[in-house]
């Protein structure tokens, strides 16, 4: 028989790990290497699963852990002198033959109540499905206006071939011959203090109380298969990147009649070619021609809610900001909308006709007739620049 591995090494934690870290490590390993769910070598997974359970049974109990830290595996060797409690050994009182769990059952026999340490999970206890996470990318318009969206989700669902029972036929499950269907093995020992009963999880059926005779070929006995399906999601108005939508019951299916887990959708926003989101405000840049900047006019500005007519005042300078109240992003809490900030950019003509150049020079020359014919010059510039 190969020597036992260090319990801390089995769980992948340091010797100074907290109870919470040990519990998290155990749950992770138990979920990943459970023989009914493991996709690799089932026999190897079962052996490692047993090893994980044994390590957790010791390290999750403060007194057993203290004994293990001091004596190693010999602390639980029934043939070792001084094993178990306080190094008492086989001194006629029988303490050397029992671990801490046995001592608790010994005291429970005196006080007439069972030790809570040995409440066990049987095959009748259901297991909740695993929660899953997925990203969902939205356009800025979808996030602002809200939408009912159909998405694809891949998760473990009940096997349709076997209905979740894990066998090809309804008679493919038989009572575990090792534990008789109880899921636990009870060991009874007589001592001078009375009868002591120790219960441990059955290592043949892993506490289920039953074993599979003809495992389902589709799910390989787990009762669950990975399946991609389409579901509808309601996106609320004003949702932001980083927000999470929880869809109850849309995660992995549970086992042994347990409820399914939940689906958590993490929202991301696709880059927009025109709009930039800053807080609740929408920033956009709009280009206008030189004539409109000089003489003023009206332009159509796109918003999240459609086009908006905006007035440009005469003499508008480049990078002037125009605010459109309430045209920004809605608050997800329903507190109204932000604003849309329109940044004006002025397009300068790259090619001019000789006549256009002449008018521009006339306009720029302080000694020209512009002082007395200001309106006429403006009209000429506008007419010439807009009719190339």
């Amino acid at each position: 028989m190969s020597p036992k591995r260090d319990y801390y090494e089995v769980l992948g934690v340091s010797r100074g790990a907290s109870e919470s870290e040990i519990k998290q490590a155990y749950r992770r390993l138990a979920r990943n290497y459970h023989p009914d769910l493991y996709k690799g070598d089932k026999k190897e997974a079962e052996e490692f699963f047993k090893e994980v359970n044994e390590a957790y049974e010791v390290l999750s109990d403060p007194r057993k852990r203290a004994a293990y830290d001091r004596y190693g595996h010999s602390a639980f060797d029934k043939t070792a002198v001084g094993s178990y409690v306080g190094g008492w050994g086989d001194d006629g009182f029988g303490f050397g033959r029992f671990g801490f769990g046995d001592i608790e059952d010994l005291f429970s026999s005196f006080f007439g109540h069972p030790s809570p340490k040995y409440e066990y999970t049987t095959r009748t206890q259901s297991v909740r499905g695993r929660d899953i996470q997925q990203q969902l990318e939205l356009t800025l318009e979808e996030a602002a206006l809200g939408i009912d969206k159909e998405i694809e989700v891949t998760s473990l669902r009940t096997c349709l071939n076997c209905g979740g029972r894990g066998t090809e036929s309804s008679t493919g499950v038989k009572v575990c011959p090792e534990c008789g269907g109880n899921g636990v093995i009870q060991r009874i020992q007589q001592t001078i203090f009375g009868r002591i009963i120790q219960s441990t999880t059955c290592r043949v059926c892993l506490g289920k109380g039953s074993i599979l005779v003809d495992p389902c070929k589709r799910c390989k006995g787990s009762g669950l298969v990975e399946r991609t399906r389409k579901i509808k999601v309601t996106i609320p108005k004003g949702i932001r990147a980083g927000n999470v939508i929880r869809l109850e019951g849309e995660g992995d299916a549970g086992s042994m009649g347990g409820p399914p887990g939940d689906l958590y959708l993490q929202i991301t926003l696709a880059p927009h070619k025109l709009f930039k989101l800053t807080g609740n405000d929408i920033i956009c840049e709009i280009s206008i021609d030189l004539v409109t900047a000089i003489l003023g006019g009206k332009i159509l500005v796109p918003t999240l809610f459609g086009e908006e007519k905006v007035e440009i005042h005469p003499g508008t300078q480049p990078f002037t900001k125009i605010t459109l109240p309430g045209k920004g992003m809605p608050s997800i809490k329903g507190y109204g909308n932000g604003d849309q900030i329109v940044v004006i950019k002025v397009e300068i003509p790259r090619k001019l006709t000789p006549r256009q150049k002449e008018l521009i020079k006339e306009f720029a020359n302080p000694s020209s007739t512009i002082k007395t014919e200001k309106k006429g010059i403006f009209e000429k510039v506008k007419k010439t620049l807009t009719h190339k």
Side-chain angles (χ1 to χ4, degrees):
M1 180 181 293
S2 58
K4 289 186 177 181
R5 286 201 298 157
D6 180 79
Y7 286 150
Y8 291 99
E9 179 185 342
V10 171
L11 295 183
V13 297
S14 66
R15 300 190 75 84
S18 64
E19 292 183 13
S20 176
E21 291 173 329
I22 290 174
K23 182 178 292 186
Q24 289 177 0
Y26 168 72
R27 288 179 175 176
R28 184 185 70 254
L29 293 171
R31 181 174 61 246
N32 292 340
Y33 289 93
H34 193 287
D36 287 347
L37 299 178
Y38 189 66
K39 296 181 179 180
D41 189 318
K42 296 291 184 182
K43 186 175 181 181
E44 181 181 340
E46 182 177 342
E47 291 301 319
F48 183 64
F49 189 75
K50 292 176 182 178
E51 194 176 21
V52 168
N53 277 324
E54 182 179 327
Y56 180 68
E57 183 180 354
V58 172
L59 298 185
S60 63
D61 186 308
R63 288 176 294 176
K64 288 184 180 181
R65 182 179 179 181
Y68 177 74
D69 287 344
R70 186 171 182 180
Y71 300 109
H73 292 294
S74 63
F76 310 103
D77 183 356
K78 301 184 187 303
T79 63
V81 177
S83 63
Y84 292 90
V85 183
W88 286 1
D90 290 328
D91 56 357
F93 290 97
F95 287 117
R97 293 175 292 170
F98 308 109
F100 289 116
D102 300 287
I103 295 298
E104 288 187 4
D105 283 326
L106 177 65
F107 283 110
S108 70
S109 68
F110 288 153
F111 294 103
H113 57 80
S115 169
K117 184 67 180 175
Y118 285 97
E119 293 178 357
Y120 50 84
T121 300
T122 69
R123 59 190 174 95
T124 60
Q125 183 171 348
S126 60
V127 179
R128 181 180 181 275
R130 182 176 62 95
D131 293 336
I132 60 176
Q133 296 182 1
Q134 184 171 313
Q135 284 194 342
L136 175 59
E137 185 177 72
L138 303 174
T139 65
L140 193 55
E141 287 84 357
E142 288 174 335
L145 303 177
I147 189 175
D148 287 334
K149 199 172 183 68
E150 189 175 68
I151 65 171
E152 286 191 346
V153 177
T154 300
S155 61
L156 291 176
R157 308 304 290 178
T158 300
C159 177
L160 299 179
N161 185 55
C162 67
R165 63 177 174 267
T167 61
E168 288 290 332
S169 65
S170 58
T171 58
V173 180
K174 72 175 184 178
V175 175
C176 175
E178 184 73 13
C179 64
N182 293 320
V184 295
I185 300 295
Q186 289 188 338
R187 186 181 63 196
I188 302 175
Q189 292 181 311
Q190 296 291 337
T191 73
I192 60 174
F193 296 102
R195 189 176 67 167
I196 296 176
I197 302 176
Q198 183 182 18
S199 298
T200 57
T201 300
C202 177
R203 296 192 176 186
V204 174
C205 66
L206 302 177
K208 290 183 178 181
S210 60
I211 57 176
L212 304 181
V213 178
D214 58 340
C216 171
K217 295 181 177 61
R218 178 79 184 278
C219 65
K220 295 181 173 52
S222 69
L224 302 173
V225 293
E226 195 174 77
R227 195 159 72 238
T228 299
R229 56 206 169 86
K230 292 183 178 181
I231 63 174
K232 286 187 177 180
V233 185
T234 297
I235 307 298
K237 295 180 180 180
I239 199 166
R240 299 291 195 279
N243 287 162
V244 175
I245 297 177
R246 172 176 169 263
L247 299 178
E248 187 176 358
E250 297 294 351
D252 285 347
S255 58
M256 291 180 281
D262 299 331
L263 168 63
Y264 291 87
L265 294 176
Q266 186 171 17
I267 301 300
T268 62
L269 295 181
H272 199 282
K273 62 180 181 180
L274 182 61
F275 300 136
K276 180 181 178 182
L277 182 62
T278 303
N280 284 348
D281 294 336
I282 297 292
I283 312 296
C284 72
E285 293 183 346
I286 298 295
S287 296
I288 62 174
D289 58 61
L290 180 61
V291 174
T292 303
I294 295 173
L295 300 180
K298 292 185 177 180
I299 62 172
L300 290 177
V301 175
T303 73
L304 292 171
F305 312 98
E307 289 187 325
E308 188 82 5
K309 188 174 287 187
V310 175
E311 184 174 356
I312 302 297
H313 297 292
T316 294
Q317 301 298 309
F319 305 109
T320 296
K321 294 180 180 179
I322 300 174
T323 300
L324 304 181
K327 297 300 180 179
M329 193 73 166
S331 168
I332 196 170
K333 296 182 180 180
Y335 297 150
N337 291 22
D339 300 329
Q340 179 164 323
I341 311 299
V342 181
V343 180
I344 298 298
K345 298 179 68 177
V346 179
E347 290 184 349
I348 305 299
R350 295 179 181 276
K351 294 180 180 181
L352 297 175
T353 65
R355 178 56 179 159
Q356 290 171 335
K357 292 178 180 179
E358 181 182 341
L359 288 172
I360 292 296
K361 289 178 181 179
E362 186 178 351
F363 172 74
N365 188 355
S367 62
S368 69
T369 57
I370 191 172
K371 292 183 179 179
T372 57
E373 301 179 10
K374 184 176 182 181
K375 184 175 181 180
I377 293 295
F378 270 109
E379 291 299 329
K380 289 179 182 179
V381 171
K382 179 180 180 181
K383 183 177 180 180
T384 304
L385 290 179
T386 55
H387 295 84
K388 298 179 182 179

